[in-house]
Amino acid sequence: MSLLDRLNNDMKQAMKNKEKAKLSVIRMVKAALQNEAIKLGKQELTEDEELTVLSREVKQRKDSLQEFTDAGREDLADKIRTELTYVDIYMPKQLSEEEVSAIVQETIAEVGASSKADMGKVMGAIMPKVKGKADGALVNKLVQHHLS
């Protein structure tokens, strides 16, 4: 079942259950996917493109959450946390820090990196492997740690 099919089914269910918050998030995600398809001039997105859009949605919400928390707006922060839980349902299972660390070490060995000067080369090789499955900030932190 494609992501759009899942979103449509979940949207119908949210309407039946009168879950306004969930319905709103599903509509936002669906709109983001459709806008991306229009931007790329396609009828349907590939799984990789869908994952990119979902990752962008999660990142935007995490950034907003941080800003609202810093500003002391817990009411808005709670709303964003709820949205994040709904968006996370559609994301692939996230890798643990240990799994990401193992992938980082493996990639460093593959590209022959030895210093922080090779960071870009390592990040370029590792990000396609963990796309959607790990937070970029965590990957960056682990690469820096292993290269130091």
Side-chain angles (χ1 to χ4, degrees):
M1 179 185 291
S2 77
L3 180 60
L4 272 177
D5 291 339
R6 275 182 63 199
L7 286 167
N8 284 328
N9 290 340
D10 290 351
M11 190 167 73
K12 289 174 191 170
Q13 197 60 46
M15 284 179 189
K16 287 178 185 174
N17 297 341
K18 298 189 185 336
E19 298 172 286
K20 288 183 180 179
K22 185 175 184 178
L23 181 60
S24 172
V25 172
I26 291 171
R27 283 181 172 153
M28 279 190 272
V29 170
K30 206 174 154 204
L33 289 167
Q34 289 170 335
N35 287 339
E36 187 72 12
I38 291 167
K39 186 175 120 188
L40 297 174
K42 296 182 175 183
Q43 286 287 28
E44 287 189 28
L45 297 175
T46 64
E47 273 189 46
D48 197 40
E49 292 165 341
E50 289 174 345
L51 194 54
T52 300
V53 173
L54 281 175
S55 298
R56 187 180 322 133
E57 291 294 312
V58 168
K59 184 175 180 349
Q60 285 175 350
R61 282 169 177 76
K62 285 183 178 178
D63 291 346
S64 296
L65 179 62
Q66 183 64 46
E67 288 178 25
F68 291 145
T69 305
D70 291 347
R73 294 294 309 265
E74 281 307 309
D75 54 330
L76 295 174
D78 290 339
K79 181 178 181 264
I80 296 293
R81 281 187 199 96
T82 304
E83 287 182 10
L84 267 171
T85 59
Y86 293 133
V87 176
D88 281 340
I89 294 168
Y90 304 102
M91 292 292 290
K93 182 184 170 292
Q94 297 293 295
L95 298 171
S96 70
E97 190 167 337
E98 294 79 32
E99 291 170 317
V100 174
S101 184
I103 293 171
V104 167
Q105 289 172 338
E106 179 184 303
T107 306
I108 287 172
E110 280 176 19
V111 299
S114 57
S115 68
K116 285 196 177 196
D118 299 323
M119 178 124 179
K121 197 169 25 169
V122 174
M123 289 298 289
I126 199 168
M127 288 314 286
K129 295 180 185 180
V130 298
K131 185 173 189 170
K133 299 177 195 162
D135 183 39
L138 172 65
V139 174
N140 190 323
K141 183 181 88 173
L142 290 172
V143 170
Q144 284 185 6
H145 172 74
H146 287 294
L147 286 178
S148 59

